[in-house]
Amino acid sequence: MKTLGIYVQVPFCQTRCTYCNFHTGVVPAARFAPYVGCVGTEMAGHKELYAAAGVTLPEEFADAVVDTIYVGGGTPSLLDPAHLGSMVAAVRENFVCELTEVTLEADPETVTEEKAAAWVGAGINRISFGVQSFCDEELKAAGRMHRRADVYRAAAILRGAGMANISFDLIAGLPKQTRKTWRDSLDALVELGPEHVSVYLLEVDEGSRLGGEILRGGKRYSAAEVPGDDEMAEFYETACWELGAAGYEHYEISNWAKPGFASRHNLKYWRREAYLGFGAGAHSFSGTERWANAHDAAGYVAAVTAGRLPVEQLERLTAEGALEEELFLGLRQLAGIDLGRIERQYGVSLDSRFARLRAAGLIEREGSLVRLAPGRVSVSNEVFVELMK
Ligand code: SF4
């Protein structure tokens, strides 16, 4: 049975966090309903819309079964729960579904008892919770809307509504973050006991106001108070140690889970399984092609209303590209990759490349299985660069 993940992008936020490099916008609430309507239209007409945009869906998609949905953003928890419910209902109407995991990204300040009850009623059974930090000074500097107290309030509401699978996001490297505040955030997280944890390192690039300011050596957005690279690496190592000691399994470079709670939807990305993305900026992967919808939400609504899907970056994968993805995405998983399977599938020998990495202590090998060496996970990019030489 071919399984399929569905991603729905909601590109709206209440404000713009200083570190954010996503394509999201702060727009009047009146624009939510037309957007949600277009996501439903895109799902209902996806086969024709893809064909017109040059996307080829492999034949096995005809009887694929959707087992995961992920509603991300942006801040999808901003939407009226009826809108979220209608998007989940649109998936059920347009695809054969045997849903095991339906995730909603939620920011703490948006959670109310009414919303949480409606989310559970709509079949959402997992919340990816944008905590980022438990330190108010850091949250304020980053332009976040919530504070530590909101995390406790919202977590209690979600548990009270019966949400049994919650993931917390933390960011290492926020302005004003210190060893002490990072440890405090980790301790507070462990005490609240979410089933899943994601730890991201602050990305510094021109795509965010903070990133641009850091690159220019400026001081706005507390850019001069961002921890250095060494400190950030240390924060990551502290997270590895502390989360491991608290019973979380480190299963992907940025992700930890209590036994049985690894994200089924996100595993599809790293395992190169198929998923279809709906909404502005949503990415899709059919197994042979990758494509994305245009980012601009207003342009997306205008195009879909006119009966057209604004597909960008349509790429048919070559064998070489697929092999690179296997290695790059596969090695992000701490269980590693089955080198024998990859060599057979792609008709290549990777022995010499991996022997070099093994000699340098970057990877370890157990029979046909290859994985990043313990303690080398934080330098995974170096490993990938070496591997691709
Ligand atoms: S809430 Fe998330 S998506 Fe929205 S601006 Fe902040 S970081 Fe970006």
Side-chain angles (χ1 to χ4, degrees):
M1 183 179 78
K2 180 164 182 68
T3 56
L4 185 61
I6 298 284
Y7 178 84
V8 180
Q9 170 69 353
V10 178
F12 307 124
C13 289
Q14 299 184 89
T15 55
R16 199 81 184 127
C17 305
T18 62
Y19 60 85
C20 183
N21 56 7
F22 297 147
H23 293 268
T24 67
V26 180
V27 305
R31 281 184 47 194
F32 298 165
Y35 181 84
V36 170
C38 284
V39 169
T41 305
E42 185 191 353
M43 283 185 201
H46 71 280
K47 289 183 196 140
E48 298 75 24
L49 290 166
Y50 288 164
V55 173
T56 318
L57 273 193
E59 271 175 24
E60 74 254 28
F61 272 64
D63 47 18
V65 173
V66 172
D67 61 343
T68 63
I69 302 176
Y70 193 105
V71 185
T75 310
S77 57
L78 247 192
L79 295 189
D80 186 320
H83 286 149
L84 289 169
S86 78
M87 292 196 291
V88 175
V91 177
R92 292 185 199 273
E93 279 159 29
N94 293 293
F95 296 89
V96 178
C97 291
E98 284 177 24
L99 296 170
T100 57
E101 185 185 276
V102 182
T103 304
L104 172 73
E105 284 184 355
D107 281 350
E109 75 281 4
T110 62
V111 177
T112 63
E113 282 182 16
E114 295 71 28
K115 279 186 173 181
W119 295 340
V120 172
I124 290 162
N125 60 11
R126 182 173 184 269
I127 295 292
S128 173
F129 202 36
V131 175
Q132 320 310 359
S133 165
F134 280 83
C135 170
D136 283 351
E137 284 297 295
E138 292 169 25
L139 292 166
K140 211 161 122 190
R144 296 290 310 190
M145 296 281 286
H146 72 276
R147 297 293 177 262
R148 180 182 181 115
D150 294 307
V151 177
Y152 287 95
R153 183 191 59 79
I157 290 175
L158 292 171
R159 292 299 193 200
M163 200 61 78
N165 188 355
I166 304 179
S167 177
F168 279 22
D169 285 357
L170 287 184
I171 299 179
L174 287 175
K176 297 184 183 287
Q177 201 167 58
T178 64
R179 279 192 187 94
K180 185 177 172 314
T181 62
W182 179 244
R183 272 196 171 275
D184 179 55
S185 284
L186 286 169
D187 289 345
L189 176 146
V190 165
E191 211 180 302
L192 279 173
E195 284 68 34
H196 187 279
V197 181
S198 300
V199 174
Y200 299 109
L201 302 185
L202 181 79
E203 286 181 18
V204 176
D205 57 39
E206 285 290 351
S208 72
R209 288 177 291 159
L210 174 61
E213 192 69 12
I214 294 171
L215 293 173
R216 285 186 291 279
K219 291 197 170 142
R220 286 184 302 167
Y221 317 118
S222 307
E225 294 173 78
V226 167
D229 289 349
D230 289 349
E231 247 180 316
M232 248 157 73
E234 185 192 315
F235 292 172
Y236 179 81
E237 294 300 333
T238 307
C240 292
W241 187 86
E242 188 151 337
L243 293 172
Y248 290 92
E249 186 196 346
H250 194 181
Y251 72 101
E252 195 270 347
I253 288 178
S254 305
N255 290 281
W256 287 256
K258 293 265 175 79
F261 286 96
S263 166
R264 292 170 189 234
H265 183 85
N266 289 341
L267 276 169
K268 290 183 195 292
Y269 300 147
W270 306 311
R271 291 178 176 164
R272 300 186 71 250
E273 293 171 5
Y275 53 90
L276 296 179
F278 296 95
H283 287 247
S284 301
F285 175 57
S286 67
T288 51
E289 291 180 346
R290 291 190 180 278
W291 67 96
N293 288 344
H295 283 295
D296 177 55
Y300 166 82
V301 168
V304 173
T305 305
R308 191 179 58 79
L309 192 61
V311 167
E312 288 180 345
Q313 306 165 31
L314 172 60
E315 183 196 0
R316 172 160 275 275
L317 285 172
T318 59
E320 195 182 336
L323 173 61
E324 277 192 13
E325 287 187 2
E326 289 269 8
L327 300 174
F328 180 77
L329 296 171
L331 280 175
R332 291 191 63 98
Q333 300 169 72
L334 274 77
I337 51 177
D338 180 349
L339 205 53
R341 193 234 349 129
I342 292 176
E343 289 187 329
R344 281 192 303 279
Q345 192 170 329
Y346 293 90
V348 290
S349 168
L350 298 166
D351 255 4
S352 57
R353 285 204 222 178
F354 278 101
R356 208 173 60 223
L357 292 172
R358 196 175 174 193
L362 295 173
I363 57 136
E364 61 178 23
R365 187 164 181 173
E366 215 181 288
S368 170
L369 268 186
V370 175
R371 64 175 83 90
L372 293 170
R376 292 303 188 149
V377 178
S378 61
V379 292
S380 56
N381 280 343
E382 259 173 57
V383 179
F384 298 135
V385 169
E386 275 297 313
L387 195 57
M388 296 310 165
K389 276 184 187 168

